[in-house]
Amino acid sequence: MTVHANRFAGKAVVVTGAAQGIGRAVAERIAAEGGEVVLADRAELVHDVAGALREAGGKAHSVPVHSVTADLETYDGALAATDGALAAAGRIDVVVNNVGGTIWAKPYEHYTPEEIEKEVRRSLFPTLWMCRAALPHLIAQRSGTIVNVSSVATRGVNRVPYAASKGGVRAITTALALEAAPHGVRVVATAPGGTEAPPRAVQRGPLPATEQEKAWYQQIVDQTVESSLLKRYGTLDEQAAAICFLASDEASYITGTVLPVAGGDLG
């Protein structure tokens, strides 16, 4: 990880889905770069992650690290996360909306209506609700940045409901940027490609069990690698670097933009 010292000094940054994966990597980098960070997740694990970060990066860089638990699939949960962040840090300068992820991997005709709704609640509504909950505070202070995490899986196999949700995240970004700009608020996004990460401590859904389910998942992996010009998965650091750049003042003239971070796959 390349650290840009004090890039987030004086900033209060909320990172959702911060208990693991990309969210955790972003939170670690924000703290290492001098930002006061609030980790938000519905898993209690987020408090342990915040504790470890507090002992490592936060303590080393003399910046506070906080954590809140909330179910961001609901508006009440988004309000709770926003209120918790304000109570802990006193203000919000940046919101990184990272919650989401494929629950099932299979051709669309095999999804049940209930599964489709769960995918949309997991990968669209957390961003929609957090933008709504945080935006009034950013508008009131006439400054701030929202960084959403979409996906290049908007053009991918065996996860149509997830693709639709992440397409919605792109639309939130481009449309909200128009409304927020007059208030001094930027809205941007990254679109990650396949990303190598440690085994998840909290699973999104059932792991592929049957040979058919394993084959459907492998089709996703193969298509992801093939679509990348670099023919590989990315790393957590590569995803966090792009998110933190867009979140920082270095990107002050960028808004309404979705940046693919997928080795050349534009989604």
Side-chain angles (χ1 to χ4, degrees):
M1 176 174 67
T2 301
V3 174
H4 301 265
N6 298 317
R7 180 161 60 165
F8 289 96
K11 303 278 190 181
V13 182
V14 180
V15 183
T16 73
Q20 54 193 328
I22 292 174
R24 177 171 182 167
V26 170
E28 290 172 345
R29 186 179 285 259
I30 295 292
E33 296 187 356
E36 181 170 4
V37 63
V38 181
L39 290 75
D41 204 290
R42 69 179 178 186
E44 292 293 328
L45 174 66
V46 73
H47 300 306
D48 296 332
V49 172
L53 187 53
R54 197 174 294 119
E55 283 300 309
K59 186 174 182 179
H61 299 281
S62 301
V63 295
V65 177
H66 315 282
S67 56
V68 297
T69 51
D71 182 359
L72 302 181
E73 293 181 12
T74 70
Y75 183 51
D76 286 345
L79 286 174
T82 302
D83 291 345
L86 287 168
R91 61 182 285 122
I92 296 172
D93 297 295
V94 179
V95 179
V96 178
N97 288 317
N98 171 67
V99 173
T102 305
I103 305 174
W104 293 278
K106 52 188 174 182
Y108 190 46
E109 67 268 24
H110 293 280
Y111 279 86
T112 67
E114 293 76 17
E115 289 170 345
I116 293 169
E117 290 184 4
K118 285 181 180 178
E119 293 275 12
V120 174
R121 285 199 299 272
R122 174 69 58 82
S123 293
L124 175 62
F125 274 98
T127 297
L128 199 63
W129 291 141
M130 277 300 295
C131 285
R132 176 62 184 84
L135 188 63
H137 303 285
L138 304 182
I139 289 175
Q141 68 193 27
R142 298 198 64 78
S143 67
T145 302
I146 295 172
V147 184
N148 298 324
V149 179
S150 179
S151 173
V152 295
T154 48
R155 187 175 183 270
V157 299
N158 294 351
R159 40 187 174 167
V160 166
Y162 172 73
S165 301
K166 288 302 189 178
V169 170
R170 286 176 179 245
I172 292 167
T173 302
T174 54
L176 186 57
L178 291 170
E179 296 184 14
H183 304 285
V185 177
R186 296 189 300 116
V187 186
V188 289
T190 65
T195 304
E196 295 283 359
R200 292 183 62 84
V202 179
Q203 293 299 326
R204 295 192 183 107
L207 295 174
T210 68
E211 291 305 310
Q212 180 62 83
E213 288 171 341
K214 292 176 183 177
W216 284 334
Y217 184 80
Q218 187 60 44
Q219 286 174 356
I220 290 179
V221 174
D222 294 343
Q223 184 255 312
T224 298
V225 173
E226 181 59 30
S227 297
S228 167
L229 301 185
L230 298 180
K231 304 304 179 194
R232 66 172 176 86
Y233 271 37
T235 68
L236 292 176
D237 279 347
E238 286 171 326
Q239 298 299 339
I243 290 168
C244 290
F245 164 68
L246 289 176
S248 75
D249 289 342
E250 293 177 276
S252 58
Y253 197 49
I254 301 174
T255 194
T257 296
V258 180
L259 173 65
V261 188
D265 182 0
L266 302 181

